[in-house]
Amino acid sequence: MPQRPAPLDHAARVLAETDPVRRFHAAEAAAEAAAAPYKQAAAQAIEDLIAQHDGNVAAAARELGFERQTLYARRKRSTAQGGDSARPRVAQAQPALNFDSPEAARNALLDWELRQRDVTDQLDVLLLGALAAGVEPVDISADSGVGLDTLRRIRPGGNITISKLDQFGEEVEDFARAIAARSFALNATATTSTERAAARIWGLAREHIVTNVAPLALVPALGIRREDFANEEDYVDAVFNREPTEEEKAAEQREPTELAAIAGADAWLAATYLLYRRFADGPPRTGQDPDEAAVGVAVRGAYGELADAILHLRTTGQVPPTLTAAAS
């Protein structure tokens, strides 16, 4: 378990924050937290001195070099800020989680950090969408609380990719089917550790994409033909009253993420592109043996291919031809 960072480390983190709004609030909070014990000690010292003078505030003020009114004002301000000039403050209990071990606590922190990254990806997509819609950066900053430095960070070169997907089209389902076909093909032919690692990443992507943006993409054909019915009404009744397939039951049991459920397929695809691209561009781990390093290269390559496929889908509105060819 690493040691707790020294106060200087916290100061360095505050000063390294590039967003001026976040840096201001962080610095204010750090300064207030650091000064609080000394303010309480000074207030208590005043009370102790007054007690030594048998409650004579004027005598205590003279010894401190203050006017009596100044000392009254300081005591009043200390009380208004939450202190109690007459009694020492009783520390309030702070709620904390109970972990079975330091390792469990570290794992919880890492999980939290991953969730924060996901939230940041979603926020970046939202901010870029507002910029692309023509909202002025100063207005975005005012509405979201995100500093202008952060907006410049996520849009360093002014390049924003706008989706060409048809909101009511079938391109996303076709894309999910192509991802699934590529995943199944890779899994069927994988024989080495690197091939199995890449197939596993494609399998995870298949589950994510189907669950979040195309839950019925893998449902087989219904086997019900319009020409087998005398009229449209009978055909519709047969479609809706049939027994659901096992794939449909499984699809109903999966829960999409909040982003996909609320904002829709394109928002989820945009945030997932950022996630996959970050995984693809991540540095290799140090100290690995050759086999582990090769697996890492395969995993990053799979994420890179998936990110490129999503980018092509959003910017053209079509399934990438390379993905279709590879899956066939």
Side-chain angles (χ1 to χ4, degrees):
M1 187 73 177
Q3 295 181 348
R4 183 182 297 276
L8 180 60
D9 294 334
H10 294 294
R13 293 175 189 174
V14 171
L15 296 175
E17 174 60 61
T18 58
D19 183 352
V21 174
R22 295 177 182 172
R23 187 167 66 247
F24 169 81
H25 289 301
E28 287 280 297
E32 183 177 349
Y38 300 105
K39 289 181 179 179
Q40 293 173 10
Q44 187 59 49
I46 289 174
E47 298 305 316
D48 292 343
L49 183 59
I50 293 173
Q52 289 180 9
H53 286 281
D54 297 325
N56 190 328
V57 177
R62 283 194 299 271
E63 188 168 347
L64 289 172
F66 293 157
E67 294 288 340
R68 182 180 59 184
Q69 293 82 354
T70 301
L71 193 56
Y72 275 125
R74 288 190 61 141
R75 296 180 75 199
K76 182 177 181 181
R77 185 166 60 250
S78 175
T79 303
Q81 291 175 348
D84 188 339
S85 299
R87 303 187 302 271
R89 293 184 61 187
V90 178
Q92 298 296 310
Q94 299 297 316
L97 294 178
N98 180 31
F99 292 105
D100 295 334
S101 66
E103 290 73 20
R106 290 291 304 277
N107 289 335
L109 290 172
L110 291 173
D111 290 343
W112 175 84
E113 197 270 339
L114 289 173
R115 289 196 298 272
Q116 290 299 107
R117 285 191 182 188
D118 290 341
V119 171
T120 299
D121 286 345
Q122 296 175 23
L123 175 61
D124 286 355
V125 169
L126 175 63
L127 296 174
L128 288 175
L131 287 170
V135 182
E136 292 295 328
V138 291
D139 294 330
I140 296 175
S141 179
D143 293 341
S144 65
V146 174
L148 294 175
D149 279 359
T150 299
L151 294 177
R152 284 189 285 269
R153 171 185 61 79
I154 66 174
R155 191 189 183 187
N159 184 27
I160 301 177
T161 59
I162 303 300
S163 177
K164 302 296 183 182
L165 286 173
D166 183 349
Q167 181 180 357
F168 304 102
E170 298 180 354
E171 297 85 359
V172 174
E173 288 194 357
D174 291 339
F175 180 74
R177 295 187 187 98
I179 292 289
R182 177 73 186 281
S183 166
F184 295 141
L186 289 174
N187 190 63
T189 59
T191 57
T192 66
S193 59
T194 55
E195 291 172 345
R196 286 191 292 269
R200 180 174 58 84
I201 298 305
W202 279 85
L204 291 174
R206 179 193 73 236
E207 293 180 7
H208 293 163
I209 291 169
V210 170
T211 298
N212 285 281
V213 297
L216 299 182
L218 304 187
V219 174
L222 300 180
I224 301 176
R225 301 182 302 171
R226 170 65 181 85
E227 54 267 28
D228 294 336
F229 296 87
N231 54 62
E232 188 74 19
E233 183 177 352
D234 291 342
Y235 170 67
V236 172
D237 286 343
V239 169
F240 282 97
N241 293 329
R242 65 186 171 80
E243 182 69 20
T245 65
E246 293 300 320
E247 289 84 355
E248 287 175 299
K249 294 176 181 178
E252 291 179 356
Q253 294 173 359
R254 292 190 292 261
E255 289 294 332
T257 63
E258 184 178 4
L259 177 65
I262 295 177
D266 184 53
W268 184 87
L269 287 168
T272 302
Y273 165 79
L274 294 177
L275 177 66
Y276 288 173
R277 177 54 59 196
R278 186 172 68 237
F279 289 161
D281 296 340
R285 292 173 53 188
T286 59
Q288 292 180 313
D289 61 40
D291 290 339
E292 290 178 336
V295 168
V297 171
V299 167
R300 291 193 296 275
Y303 277 121
E305 289 183 273
L306 287 161
D308 291 341
I310 292 176
L311 179 63
H312 186 280
L313 173 70
R314 294 189 67 251
T315 54
T316 67
Q318 300 175 355
V319 179
T322 54
L323 181 60
T324 305
S328 60

